[in-house]
Amino acid sequence: MKNERILISGAGIAGQVLAYWLARHGFRPTVVERAAGLRTGGQGVDIRDQAIEVADKMGIMARVRDSAADVAGMRFVRADGRDLARIDMQGIKEKYGSTEAEIMRGDLVRILHDITVDNVEYIFGDSIRGLEQDDDGVIVTFEHAPMRRFDLVIGADGLHSTVRRLAFGPESDHVRHMDHYFAFGNTDSTLGPDRWMTVFNTPGHFAGIYRSGNHPQAKAYLMFRSARRDIDPRDQDAARALLAAEFRGENAWHVPELLKGVLADPDAYIDTLGQVRMRSWSIDRVALVGDAAYCASPASGAGAELALIGAYRLAGELAAAAGDHRLAFRRYERAHRPLVDRKQQIGPNLRLMAPKSRVGIAVRNLVTRLPILESMAGMERIMAPKTTEQLPDYDLPAASIAQ
């Protein structure tokens, strides 16, 4: 098999799923991660549709269900905390026979690491500094480790991908600002009821608290509309200052406490709500997977789904092509792009979460109280268009099947 030595940048969901399947197919993956260890923070992520099939093939779906977030639904509240409306998502799932599961990102990352650590080389606390491609491979320079040569390099390093910048050009060419900023961090668990996502809105602002039934730590969400795109997300001091300035005048409900919790959390996520749109996800011997290639934004609820399916397809196509990266990269993109295009249509999600005006908030609240909402949500799950191509079964080596 050609191109066995494959470097993956990023030890998140996409990077570890890709490493798992590459190892199963007989490749030799190495994962480099900038952080000193696994990044186990983050919000709840959904495993649904074909992503469930991928997780089943990996033998982890039972563990995903055992670690499920166990959230009943979403509450919209007044300034005094009284209910305006509720969406019983757990009830809708049960009524329409949904098999999807929600799990905290950190729990999924740990599960993936457990099943890859014995068969994958991990390099923590380092990152890629330079890529030099030639006909036979890629010379990679690191921030700390000695220079190494790999056959292929895959960027699974998120919205602000280093691999994408080095191989495809500046971030501004590929990341679209969606006119919102999003923040997520730890907060006081007493601020909201167990097993509910509780949300309070003012025009253009969203504040919420997420209480998983299986986790003692509550999570705060803050989002606001802004056309500004001049904040470098790597400058966390500037990002925190922007968030504080935007919500400092919001004193209703628990907004001050939620803001305080996010600002005090050293691992808080504060960033633009962005999407990655690219004409191609590969260039010669370098390719991208997950958010680095096609981030749909946190508002899509599709990041884990796209990562699992995309990584499975990428590894499988490399195996099916006996390591011929040119053929494999084309097949991966052709098969996966229709799903990506659909999941990046997030306009309705933003209108639900952060209406622009008081009238918009009132209309949203009215709609969520109508009995027809449950039927609409159920029918959306049944009638949602599927990808035209079924998830393929890629042949595994006999030794791998025996594992």
Side-chain angles (χ1 to χ4, degrees):
M1 186 184 297
K2 298 190 299 183
N3 296 327
E4 291 186 3
R5 298 168 300 169
I6 302 177
L7 177 65
I8 302 166
S9 177
I13 296 171
Q16 293 197 106
V17 173
L18 179 62
Y20 171 87
W21 284 111
L22 287 175
R24 289 292 305 273
H25 286 298
F27 295 94
R28 291 186 287 158
T30 296
V31 177
V32 60
E33 166 59 49
R34 179 186 299 273
L38 288 177
R39 297 178 185 264
T40 56
Q43 59 180 335
V45 297
D46 294 318
I47 311 299
R48 59 164 70 97
D49 298 332
Q50 289 184 335
I52 296 174
E53 189 176 345
V54 175
D56 275 332
K57 291 175 183 291
M58 299 174 73
I60 62 171
M61 198 60 207
R63 290 185 64 183
V64 168
R65 296 193 189 284
D66 288 342
S67 302
D70 190 28
V71 172
M74 183 176 291
R75 303 168 59 238
F76 299 96
V77 299
R78 306 175 190 272
D80 60 7
R82 289 183 298 157
D83 278 10
L84 280 165
R86 290 190 179 211
I87 302 177
D88 181 3
M89 295 308 301
Q90 195 64 39
I92 292 172
K93 290 178 186 178
E94 292 172 0
K95 180 175 180 178
Y96 292 95
S98 171
T99 58
E100 69 185 59
E102 183 181 18
I103 182 173
M104 299 304 291
R105 177 194 172 278
D107 290 339
L108 180 56
V109 165
R110 279 188 284 263
I111 291 171
L112 294 171
H113 194 62
D114 287 347
I115 64 170
T116 56
V117 66
D118 292 334
N119 299 302
V120 174
E121 177 189 11
Y122 279 90
I123 303 172
F124 286 101
D126 209 344
S127 61
I128 297 173
R129 187 175 64 189
L131 300 172
E132 185 178 338
Q133 299 195 58
D134 57 37
D135 291 341
D136 299 317
V138 187
I139 298 173
V140 181
T141 54
F142 297 92
E143 294 290 344
H144 304 295
M147 180 177 64
R148 290 173 64 176
R149 172 180 281 276
F150 293 88
D151 298 315
L152 304 173
V153 174
I154 311 296
D157 43 356
L159 176 65
H160 305 293
S161 168
T162 296
V163 171
R164 188 185 62 231
R165 175 177 55 81
L166 290 172
F168 296 83
E171 182 171 300
S172 58
D173 290 348
H174 309 293
V175 178
R176 295 186 181 183
H177 177 56
M178 305 299 289
D179 293 330
H180 288 74
Y181 279 83
F182 177 81
F184 175 87
N186 291 337
T187 195
D188 183 351
S189 297
T190 65
L191 299 178
D194 192 29
R195 300 188 65 236
W196 286 90
M197 171 74 173
T198 306
V199 175
F200 173 71
N201 287 105
T202 55
H205 282 192
F206 170 104
I209 179 170
Y210 180 98
R211 289 285 312 279
S212 164
N214 289 330
H215 299 80
Q217 178 61 63
K219 302 293 183 178
Y221 288 82
L222 297 169
M223 189 168 72
F224 63 93
R225 298 179 63 89
S226 174
R228 288 185 60 180
R229 60 190 72 191
D230 57 345
I231 297 296
D232 184 345
R234 288 160 293 198
D235 184 349
Q236 280 296 290
D237 289 339
R240 288 168 186 270
L242 176 63
L243 183 70
E246 189 68 29
F247 281 93
R248 188 168 289 127
E250 297 277 2
N251 295 312
W253 190 54
H254 297 304
V255 177
E257 293 94 331
L258 297 179
L259 176 62
K260 181 179 179 181
V262 172
L263 295 178
D265 183 355
D267 297 320
Y269 175 93
I270 307 171
D271 204 345
T272 176
L273 209 63
Q275 284 191 343
V276 176
R277 301 286 187 96
M278 302 185 70
R279 293 182 179 178
S280 175
W281 302 333
S282 65
I283 180 168
D284 298 328
R285 291 179 170 272
V286 177
L288 303 172
V289 69
D291 281 355
Y294 35 77
C295 176
S297 91
S300 72
E305 178 184 2
L306 293 176
L308 278 156
I309 298 170
Y312 171 80
R313 283 189 179 276
L314 177 54
E317 294 298 346
L318 279 166
D324 182 339
H325 61 286
R326 294 179 179 85
L327 177 59
F329 291 166
R330 287 198 303 271
R331 288 175 172 174
Y332 150 63
E333 182 166 347
R334 182 172 64 244
H336 195 46
R337 190 175 283 275
L339 180 63
V340 169
D341 290 344
R342 178 161 62 87
K343 294 299 181 179
Q344 288 190 329
Q345 305 304 312
I346 65 168
N349 294 8
L350 288 177
R351 289 192 289 274
L352 174 71
M353 295 170 65
K356 292 189 292 185
S357 66
R358 294 192 183 280
V359 172
I361 293 172
V363 171
R364 189 277 314 278
N365 293 340
L366 175 63
V367 170
T368 56
R369 287 196 294 267
L370 295 175
I372 194 175
L373 178 72
E374 179 179 321
S375 297
M376 291 171 61
M379 288 305 295
E380 190 275 334
R381 293 172 185 275
I382 295 171
M383 300 300 293
K386 306 300 182 185
T387 51
T388 56
E389 184 179 348
Q390 294 298 309
L391 195 66
D393 285 317
Y394 297 104
D395 291 336
L396 291 168
S400 178
I401 295 173
Q403 289 182 6

